[in-house]
Amino acid sequence: ARSPAGPFQPESGRIFGRVLNPKGEPAAGRPVHVMLTPRGGNRTSTTDADGRFEQRDLAPGKYHVSTKPEPAEWQALGLESQASGAEWMSQETVVLEAGAEVELELGVAPRDPIRVHGKLTSGASSVDALLQWVPERDDGYNRSRYTSSHDGVYEILLGDHFVNHATQALA
C-alpha cells in the first residue's frame, strides 16, 4: 500500500560558500551557477555584499559550481574588462549526499603559486585562444582554471595541484 504522502523523497542538501574577486576581496553581486550533472538543470544565485552564496533544496548528485566576473565587476576593480571574463573563472565539482551540506570558496588565490606564461603561435603568427588547465586525474571541471591569450601572450597563476597539468586550447 502506498503512503498518502506519496513516494519517499530523499532529504535535500545545500551548497554554500563565498566567492573572491581577482584581488582576493569578497565578490559582491557575482552570479554563481550550480548545475546537477548530467543534464540535471542549472540554478543561479547572486553573491551578497560579503561574497556569500547559497543553494538549498538540492537533490543528491554530482554538481558543478562555477563563477566568473562580469564586465562591470572588472571595471569596478579598476581592471581592464576581459571580453570572455574567463581569466578568473572558478569551478568546483561536488558530490552531494542526501541531506548533506557542502561549503566552497571560489576564486581563492593558490598558495605558493606557479606562474605559467608564454606565447601561442601558429607558424610565425600569434594566436589568440582560450586555455584550460586541468589537474591530472580530474574530470575536467573540478578545479579547472582558464586564461585567454591576447596577441598570443598568456599568463596565469596555478596552485601546486596543477604541476602535472594538461592544457587544452579552445577556439
Side-chain angles (χ1 to χ4, degrees):
R2 227 176 193 180
S3 158
F8 170 77
Q9 294 294 322
E11 192 175 344
S12 63
R14 174 173 88 121
I15 297 175
F16 66 103
R18 75 177 186 149
V19 178
L20 299 178
N21 68 27
K23 290 187 173 181
E25 303 160 342
R30 174 85 67 88
V32 177
H33 306 280
V34 177
M35 181 176 65
L36 178 62
T37 63
R39 298 182 194 127
N42 185 27
R43 291 189 187 188
T44 302
S45 59
T46 303
T47 59
D48 66 14
D50 295 320
R52 299 222 163 262
F53 70 93
E54 177 180 44
Q55 282 291 340
R56 294 180 166 273
D57 302 321
L58 298 172
K62 184 177 182 180
Y63 288 86
H64 295 303
V65 183
S66 65
T67 183
K68 67 180 180 178
E70 294 182 335
E73 185 177 348
W74 285 105
Q75 291 168 356
L77 291 166
L79 300 172
E80 183 180 332
S81 179
Q82 304 296 319
S84 67
E87 283 80 354
W88 294 92
M89 178 180 266
S90 238
Q91 298 187 78
E92 291 285 341
T93 299
V94 173
V95 176
L96 189 66
E97 301 293 335
E101 294 187 339
V102 176
E103 184 172 10
L104 299 174
E105 196 166 48
L106 299 173
V108 178
R111 289 188 196 112
D112 302 319
I114 299 161
R115 179 178 170 251
V116 180
H117 58 100
K119 185 169 185 171
L120 297 174
T121 59
S122 176
S125 301
S126 298
V127 177
D128 285 338
L130 179 63
L131 298 157
Q132 177 184 22
W133 278 261
V134 182
E136 200 169 49
R137 296 181 307 276
D138 215 350
D139 67 3
Y141 288 91
N142 192 22
R143 294 181 188 81
S144 7
R145 291 289 309 272
Y146 295 82
T147 190
S148 58
S149 63
H150 302 284
D151 293 326
V153 176
Y154 67 90
E155 180 175 351
I156 191 167
L157 296 178
L158 302 171
D160 61 1
H161 59 284
F162 285 93
V163 172
N164 296 316
H165 69 275
T167 60
Q168 178 181 3
L170 306 173

